[in-house]
Amino acid sequence: MKARAPRILMVGTALDGRGGVAAVLSVLRASGLFEREAVRYVSTHREGGTLAKLVHAGAGLWATLRTCLLQRPAIVHAHASTGASFVRKSLVLLLARAIGCKTIFHLHGGTFRQYALERSGVLMRRWIRHTLERSSLVIALSDSWAAFLRNFAPKARVAVVPNAVPLPAVTAGAAGEAGGAGIPGRVLFLGRLEPAKGTAELLDAVALLAPRFPQLRLVMGGNGDLDGFRGGAAARGIADRIALPGWLDGAARDAELARASVFCLPSHAEGLPMAVLEAMAAGKAVAASSVGGIPELVRDGVNGVLVPPHDAAALAAALARLLGDDGLRARLGAQARATVEAQYSTQAVCGRLAAIYNDLAGTR
C-alpha cells in the first residue's frame, strides 16, 4: 500500500532529543496530530559533536528539499529557536516558498528578542525580519511574544499557539503520589543547569532557607556542569541539601514531580517553558520568574507564585511562603492543573493547529 503523501512537512529538532522543543514536538506526535493532519516530520538538528550536527543538518535539508519537490506538501511548518536553529529553519522556509508551499515559522526561543536586537548585525536583523514577514504565518507562544514579533516585523502575520502538555492522572493521594502533597520540603527544578536558568539564585535561596526548613531538599534535574554545581552547593554550605540526578527521561521526570512539594524555575528568559506546564499539569505549586510568557501562564497568588528574575532574596521569600503553608500549596496546585486543562491541553492546542492548517491550505 502506497504511503499517504504528507499534507504538512514539519521541521525541527530530533524527537528523541533533550530540551523543551523536543518535548513539545513529542507531545504533538503522541497526541495523534501527525496522523490526523498527514504530517511528515524531518529533523535538521541532533545533539552531538560539530561534525555529527553538520551531517544531520545536511541530511535534513536534503530530505526537506526532496519532500517539497516530489510530494508537494501544502504547508511547511518549521520550529525554530535562535542562532544556528534560526539559520537552518530560515533556509528551509526559503526553499519551501520557492517551491510554492505555504510556510509557518514557529518560534520557541526564550532569548529571541536579544538574538534579534542585540546579538545580530544589521544584515542578520534584516534577514530575520524578512523571514518573519515572508512566512505565511508566524506562531508565538504567548501574547507578549506576539506583541514583540509584530513590532519587530510589522508585516508579519502572527498567531498565538501555546505549548501543549498532557494531563497525567491525578489522585487525592498521599505524599509522593501523583497529584498528592509530595514529600515535605522537597523542591524540584527541571532544566539545563546554566546561569540563564537562574540556578545560582536558586542555590542562594536554598542557603537562605536552610536554617528555617530542616527538611528542605532541592532536586535539580538536567544536564550541565554537575561537578561545578556540587562545588557551588558545598561553598554555600548546602551540599547535603542538593540532589543532582542529571537529565531525567519522561518516567523519571514524572516520578520526581510526584515526589516534589514545590516546583521552581527562576529563569532569566523564557518562551513558554514545558517544565512549568508539566509541573502545573501534575498539580504542583509553582514558583517561577516573571519573564517571557510565564506571567500569562502563572498568575501570582492564583495558580502559582511569580518572582522577579535575578533576585535570590525574593525567590527565597516565595519558596518560604509555599513551603510553610500546606493549604496554599494545595490551592495553587489545584488551580494550576485547572489552568492547564482549560487552556494548554493537547486537545485544545492540537485543535488550534488543525484550524491553522485548514486555513492556510484553504480546506476549511
Side-chain angles (χ1 to χ4, degrees), residues 19-25 27-28 79-81 106-113 139-146 149 159-166 190-191 197 263 265 267-281 286 288-299 303 306 336 339-346 348-349 352:
V21 179
V24 171
L25 297 172
V27 167
L28 296 179
H79 296 264
S81 181
H106 197 144
L107 176 62
H108 294 272
T111 59
F112 191 81
R113 184 192 307 266
I139 293 180
L141 301 180
S142 67
D143 290 333
S144 60
W145 273 107
L149 291 171
V160 176
V161 180
N163 289 335
V165 63
L190 296 173
K197 291 293 184 180
F263 179 83
L265 187 71
S267 299
H268 301 165
E270 285 287 355
L272 190 65
M274 284 294 288
V276 172
L277 282 167
E278 289 162 350
M280 293 175 70
V286 168
S289 50
S290 53
V291 297
I294 292 177
E296 295 168 40
L297 168 64
V298 178
R299 289 169 290 158
N303 61 1
L306 291 174
T339 298
V340 170
E341 187 171 11
Q343 302 175 44
Y344 301 92
S345 68
T346 55
V349 173
R352 176 71 178 123

Side-chain angles (χ1 to χ4, degrees), residues 9-327:
L9 175 62
M10 189 178 288
V11 182
T13 191
L15 293 173
D16 59 355
R18 301 173 180 180
V21 179
V24 171
L25 297 172
S26 295
V27 167
L28 296 179
R29 180 177 64 170
S31 72
L33 178 75
F34 288 13
E35 290 75 17
R36 291 192 301 274
E37 300 299 326
V39 174
R40 182 189 175 191
Y41 189 81
V42 171
S43 162
T44 60
H45 171 264
R46 175 176 292 282
E47 294 174 358
T50 301
L51 180 59
K53 288 181 177 180
L54 288 172
V55 170
H56 192 82
L61 290 171
W62 174 241
T64 298
L65 180 60
R66 281 179 53 85
T67 302
C68 288
L69 286 172
L70 301 179
Q71 298 185 304
R72 299 281 176 168
I75 299 166
V76 175
H77 182 171
H79 296 264
S81 181
T82 60
S85 173
F86 172 81
V87 172
R88 285 192 303 271
K89 304 317 173 353
S90 68
L91 293 176
V92 164
L93 297 179
L94 177 66
L95 291 172
R97 288 194 300 270
I99 293 166
C101 302
K102 298 292 181 67
T103 57
I104 298 174
F105 179 92
H106 197 144
L107 176 62
H108 294 272
T111 59
F112 191 81
R113 184 192 307 266
Q114 294 91 328
Y115 174 66
L117 297 180
E118 300 170 13
R119 302 204 306 266
S120 297
V122 173
L123 292 179
M124 179 55 76
R125 281 198 296 274
R126 289 178 180 173
W127 179 244
I128 294 170
R129 185 174 292 109
H130 173 84
T131 299
L132 297 174
E133 293 186 339
R134 290 297 304 276
S135 296
S136 304
L137 185 70
V138 176
I139 293 180
L141 301 180
S142 67
D143 290 333
S144 60
W145 273 107
F148 165 74
L149 291 171
R150 292 184 182 113
N151 183 65
F152 178 78
K155 296 179 182 178
R157 179 187 173 194
V158 183
V160 176
V161 180
N163 289 335
V165 63
L167 285 165
V170 170
T171 68
E177 292 184 353
I183 298 172
R186 193 175 182 92
V187 177
L188 177 65
F189 165 95
L190 296 173
R192 183 159 183 82
L193 303 183
E194 60 184 6
K197 291 293 184 180
T199 50
E201 294 91 331
L202 185 50
L203 291 179
D204 288 340
V206 170
L208 289 171
L209 294 174
R212 294 174 52 192
F213 294 92
Q215 294 177 304
L216 176 59
R217 185 169 178 81
L218 171 64
V219 180
M220 303 180 74
N223 287 339
D225 181 9
L226 301 186
D227 289 338
F229 273 87
R230 290 189 185 97
R236 292 169 173 86
I238 54 171
D240 59 336
R241 304 294 189 111
I242 309 297
L244 294 165
W247 182 80
L248 302 173
D249 63 19
R253 176 204 63 214
D254 292 344
E256 287 295 349
L257 280 169
R259 288 191 285 266
S261 181
V262 173
F263 179 83
C264 184
L265 187 71
S267 299
H268 301 165
E270 285 287 355
L272 190 65
M274 284 294 288
V276 172
L277 282 167
E278 289 162 350
M280 293 175 70
K284 297 300 174 177
V286 168
S289 50
S290 53
V291 297
I294 292 177
E296 295 168 40
L297 168 64
V298 178
R299 289 169 290 158
D300 188 44
V302 176
N303 61 1
V305 177
L306 291 174
V307 297
H310 307 278
D311 192 334
L315 180 60
L319 290 174
R321 182 182 169 203
L322 293 174
L323 293 170
D325 191 331
D326 295 348

